[in-house]
Amino acid sequence: MKPIDANRVLGAATALYSVAIMVRPEWLAKPCDLPLDSDGRPPRQTGLLIRALGARDTAIGIAMTVAGSESTRRSATWCRVVSDTADAALFGTLLESRQARWKVAGFALSWAALCALSLRNTRS
């Protein structure tokens, strides 16, 4: 039986979550304590930006999952690590709520660390 490739699993999880926030942007807006309309959805402009982040992360996650060569997978994974680190820095300093800053930045940094660690055992 072939061992599970953590890097590909993290890529697939990234892609799935990213598609989910494109469909339901409130799933990212709520943890960030971003304003929501009376229907529980983020305002149109906020939803647009969340969907843009989701599109970026979907592309990176798919690249991590399907890349054929180790070099390509490493490049895709480093894109994930850099993106999550940048998200942590931005959300961790610019969100209004201190609790949201810690929660969202902590999650982003944790995901960046997991992805970086998964590079230790990448296989083509």
Side-chain angles (χ1 to χ4, degrees), residues 100-121:
R101 286 193 305 266
W102 281 96
K103 177 174 39 178
V104 176
F107 184 83
L109 281 177
S110 297
W111 201 254
L114 282 172
C115 289
L117 288 171
S118 76
L119 287 171
R120 295 181 320 173
N121 298 314

Side-chain angles (χ1 to χ4, degrees), residues 43-61:
R44 185 173 180 270
Q45 296 84 353
T46 303
L48 169 68
L49 291 174
I50 290 171
R51 287 180 176 99
L53 287 173
R56 173 199 76 183
D57 292 347
T58 298
I60 295 170

Side-chain angles (χ1 to χ4, degrees), residues 36-98:
L36 300 173
D37 289 337
S38 59
D39 63 357
R41 306 213 15 124
R44 185 173 180 270
Q45 296 84 353
T46 303
L48 169 68
L49 291 174
I50 290 171
R51 287 180 176 99
L53 287 173
R56 173 199 76 183
D57 292 347
T58 298
I60 295 170
I62 290 171
M64 288 172 64
T65 305
V66 303
S69 73
E70 183 177 339
S71 173
T72 303
R73 288 187 55 215
R74 287 184 170 281
S75 294
T77 303
W78 281 116
C79 287
R80 173 80 269 127
V81 171
V82 169
S83 295
D84 283 331
T85 303
D87 290 349
L90 292 168
F91 287 116
T93 58
L94 298 175
L95 288 175
E96 292 223 7
S97 160
R98 180 180 175 181

Side-chain angles (χ1 to χ4, degrees), residues 17-30 39-42 50-51:
Y17 175 73
S18 300
V19 167
I21 65 168
M22 289 171 61
V23 174
R24 301 288 304 263
E26 62 271 19
W27 290 353
L28 180 59
K30 286 179 184 178
D39 63 357
R41 306 213 15 124
I50 290 171
R51 287 180 176 99

